[in-house]
Amino acid sequence: QVQLVESGGGLVQAGGSLRLSCVVSGRTFSDIGLGWFRLAPGKEREFVAGIDRRGGRIYADSVKGRFTISRENGKNTVYLQMNSLKPEDTAQYYCAIASGFYVNHLLRDYDYWGQGTQVTVSS
């Protein structure tokens, strides 16, 4: 079975940093694209960043220059390094597997999801 397990969330002051991790099992990791999404109260689930099987990366405009997505194939893990955090980054963060070979911002193109990890940024 496919499983994704996120970790690394927590409470941080504005301007601080966190690194989220997502460990994937049940798939050949090197063959998949992955994305990070976030869900804040009162808002729709939002695309944050994606990385394809070749290491190509895309970012939402709201996080470009602050967040970095990366993958370590030997550990079946995708990371989201978050720097210069803002209170508006507060959300539950989820990793997901792309259904095809490409990554984009559309929720419909991801078919497996983790349980999420909470990130809270204080003022």
Side-chain angles (χ1 to χ4, degrees), residues 15-104:
S17 298
L18 286 172
R19 189 181 74 159
L20 307 183
S21 300
C22 174
V23 179
V24 178
S25 60
R27 282 285 192 273
T28 302
F29 187 81
S30 60
D31 287 344
I32 60 175
L34 302 114
W36 285 96
F37 293 77
R38 64 189 182 186
L39 180 63
K43 299 182 69 176
E44 193 173 70
R45 190 168 299 206
E46 175 190 25
F47 172 80
V48 177
I51 185 166
D52 66 24
R53 62 180 181 170
R54 301 172 300 170
R57 303 167 182 177
I58 58 172
Y59 297 94
D61 288 342
S62 59
V63 307
K64 194 172 298 181
R66 299 188 298 122
F67 291 10
T68 303
I69 188 170
S70 62
R71 62 192 297 161
E72 190 169 357
N73 288 350
K75 294 186 180 295
N76 284 8
T77 301
V78 60
Y79 303 97
L80 185 68
Q81 178 67 46
M82 304 185 294
N83 298 326
S84 301
L85 282 162
K86 305 174 181 179
E88 50 263 47
D89 295 318
T90 295
Q92 190 84 355
Y93 282 73
Y94 301 87
C95 63
I97 297 174
S99 58
F101 292 133
Y102 307 101
V103 296
N104 56 38

